[in-house]
Amino acid sequence: MNLTLKIWRQAGPRHTGELMTYKVSDISPDMSFLEMLDVLNEQLNAKGEEPIAFDSDCREGICGMCGLMISGEAHGPEKTTTCQLHMRSFRDGEVITIEPWRANAFPVIKDLVVDRGAFDRIIQAGGYVSVNTGAAPDAHATPVPKPAADRAFMAAECIGCGACVAACPNASAMLFMGAKVTHLSELPQGQPERMARVVSMVDQHDEEGFGGCTNVGACSQACPKGIPQDVISTLNKDLRAALRG
Amino acid sequence: MTETTVNAGIAHGLYREGEPVADSKAPAGPIAGKWRQRQFEASLVNPANRRKLDVIIVGTGLAGGSAAATLGEAGYNVKVFCFQDSPRRAHSIAAQGGINAAKNYKEDGDSVFRLFYDTVKGGDYRSRETNVYRLAEVSANIIDQCVAQGVPFAREYGGLLDNRSFGGVQVSRTFYARGQTGQQLLIGAYQALERQVAAGTVEQFTRHEMLEVVVVDGRARGIIVRDLVTGEIETHLADAVVLGSGGYGNVFFLSTNAMGSNVTATWRAHRKGAYMANPCYTQIHPTCIPVSGEHQSKLTLMSESLRNDGRIWVPKNREDCDKDPRDIAEEDRDYYLERIYPSFGNLVPRDIASRQAKNVCDEGRGVGPMVGDFRRGVYLDFADAIQRLGRDAVESKYGNLFDMYARITGENPYETPMRIYPAVHYVMGGLWVDYDLQSTIPGLFVIGEANFSDHGANRLGASALMQGLADGYFVLPNTIRDYLAKGPFDKLTQEHPQVVEARTSVEQRTKRLLEIRGERSVDSFHRELGNIMWEYCGMERSEEGLLKAIDLIRGLREEFWRNVRVLGSGDTLNQSLEKAGRVADFLELGELMCIDALHRRESCGGHFRAESQTEDGEALRHDDEFLYVAAWEFGGGDALGEMQQPVLHKEDLVYEAIELKQRSYK
Ligand SMILES: Cc1cc2nc3c(=O)[nH]c(=O)nc-3n(C[C@H](O)[C@H](O)[C@H](O)COP(=O)(O)OP(=O)(O)OC[C@H]3O[C@@H](n4cnc5c(N)ncnc54)[C@H](O)[C@@H]3O)c2cc1C
Ligand code: SF4
Ligand code: FES
């Protein structure tokens, strides 16, 4: 396949960026999208141009490190992570625009790499169960009904990639946060801190500069793990209960 | 010990032998009482003193993340580092299958002793009994801890935890969270860690890479890191340093490891005096998706459980290799594992399944695309299973794996057999540690895949996760206090000559990498090194091949320092520079792996030595000569990859609780 790529280049956080055009040829449909970028980077390196910076690590769709806006869609046209997207999803001759996640809370570091530290800080605000090592009772002491366990697991599948934020017109992180709140609220272990958690996480979310949720649903559409929008309802329900006291 | 011939490595002047090494920390007495005794003997640190003690932890995987959280809870002053943008992305996240624990919830005869026994046997009698016993002992606590954190393990309808049997053992002791066990365990540790960050006991440094360890007056006292965003070289000092930096499978270029997995942290420590143990012990996993072309950047593992129902075969005749598999008649198929190992069939251990796949492909009977001169793949066929169990049953068991396969290859495994091929997956080798998990540098502790301690020459499925969390939650926090009780050590300043020396060496090396401006990319060196390692230091090794590999690696390393091209500058995010530093270290490690493999003239665990086989071609271990851990001391060298002869220190392995046996799967 031959492709034209328009790629966001930005030297650093305080620089202005622009879309640059590159051509790649002989791309195999079996390549992953990131392998296609590897090929481009090898070409740039050979020509003496600095390769394009982009994030990835596991390349298996689980670590959440990768994430690109591909022709306007977070993680591209398939419901998967950027690293699990393959070139067979594109047409020969296609023009593909590649940009970083765009959100005030995710500043660009360089080219396609952004800073998602805000997600860590939201978890620090309460996305955990306070149990010190060694203080745990036997694992069978508290049975968990299977439906609750399954829903908790579904929500816990979030990989923290940030596609939900990138896809949202308000750059809201409610899907990410709803997933964590739901994971812990479904489980008996999450109950003692349930109310305090949601309030403090939401405060942090707003402080980081993420926008509010207006039920657009683009987050869930873009989410590579299929986290459903109803986790946001769970969050809102917990938040209302907490604020009522 | 009888040394009949002079070891080839010595004969070729590749290494020399030094004094033996031994663990001095495990208490005497019956194995079942040692850990309790050690915890009692290890000095305590007064809670009021803990916040005066600084501990650096490199790595936020299961090992580093759990250790940082636990030491933070205990009140120490912790700094934790990772190269990803968040601790939650450490490579542990990719583990699929599960985690073992001797809970005996199924009442199927499991016990601490049985888990201990299975792990030692699985390691082909090349691990240290005391460490493995302790691992089995603390395994049950791990599950309790994780459940309390909210890790959503699979449950039965009654609400209790479900277990499965994994990796060929006869009891069901594996806890799992669908195919995402590593992810769920890591998120649990990550959340515990973030809680400590919020509490102010742990300071976290993401996108920071450790490039050197600071050793002052014989003790590990800090690390030199590069802030990957600003490029700044920083010095961090402490009373003790813990490495939980994971495995180095990426020395093979293609592996199931994450792109960034590297040896730099441990290799730099090795260069500073920490012994590297059994570096050649590598685990090769039989069920990975084969290479599809030259562009391939990494390999993807599919759960071993597929072998429970899939049948492995290749065509009997080479002429059939490029045919549609569905058109190959039953009598023209060679179900080679079922043929060679009638009692275990497709469920033979990982190393046997891997080696036989390589053998049939070497014979020219592999399938799939040509990669170089060979087709590198064998069929894993579910047609029988679909007929026997129905498509729905197969889908409910393996649906997510089939989807993953279809996504990556573009083929539908319900209709045409999957293709699989072995890939490097895990390294049992790593820095040598004693029972306290302390390396040969006082104050430098090593946990998780980065150390060598628990898996011998081969690792059982679902036990790396167990080890990472055992080390981080339960072992290290109890042993490191014995060392920290001697502190706080003299306060150091950034101007101390040995601190300055460490920082300067990093600055110079970084500068050098950027100045070469040669012709070849970092990846091209890495790929070439990987090919050499896979060919000569992979599943099957021989003296001739290893000697050749050592020569090739030396040539490649020399060229690297002359001809690598790293563009951009050192004072911004520069991913080529990061890779270059890692590949430079792989180029040194690769040579030591080959020397270690050369000296170990026996087939053992995950690796097969051509000169050491039975009459019918099976692995032959030599307990008379090789019942020891090979702990290598760095022999000296310069910053540009010049290396002197390493020194071999042997730790004799003593089996008191378990009787030595040769494996047999025929
Ligand atoms: C695909 C796959 C599936 C697996 N499945 C299973 C399974 O089902 N069951 C099982 O028991 N095991 C499994 N394993 C093995 C297991 O996942 C690993 O051995 C284990 O998770 C390693 O954990 P760790 O904490 O030691 O290291 P890692 O999780 O690799 O963490 C390493 C950490 O060190 C940091 N780091 C490394 N180098 C540096 C540096 N120079 N500077 C700063 N930071 C650094 C990284 O950022 C990271 O935070 C699997 C492995 C793979 C590859
Ligand atoms: S909710 Fe989905 S899109 Fe958002 S961070 Fe989690 S996995 Fe990514
Ligand atoms: S690189 Fe890990 S999810 Fe894509």
Side-chain angles (χ1 to χ4, degrees), chain A residues 34 56-66 81-83 159:
Chain A
L34 297 182
S56 76
D57 200 31
C58 74
R59 295 205 177 183
E60 289 195 11
I62 193 75
C63 74
M65 185 91 177
C66 65
T81 55
T82 302
C83 61
I159 58 174

Side-chain angles (χ1 to χ4, degrees), chain B residues 232-248:
Chain B
E232 197 176 329
I233 308 288
E234 302 169 358
T235 305
H236 295 267
L237 299 172
D239 294 291
V241 175
V242 181
L243 301 183
S245 51
Y248 50 77

Side-chain angles (χ1 to χ4, degrees), chain A residues 119 158-164 175-176 223-224 227:
Chain A
F119 273 10
C158 163
I159 58 174
C161 63
C164 44
L175 194 70
F176 165 78
C223 175
I227 304 289

Side-chain angles (χ1 to χ4, degrees), chain A residues 45 88 120 124 157 180, chain B residues 180 190-191 194 407 565:
Chain A
N45 194 67
R88 63 182 84 88
D120 284 342
Q124 285 158 21
E157 280 193 272
K180 185 49 57 198
Chain B
Q180 285 116 285
Y190 160 73
Q191 289 171 186
E194 295 309 292
R407 179 179 305 290
R565 171 180 289 188

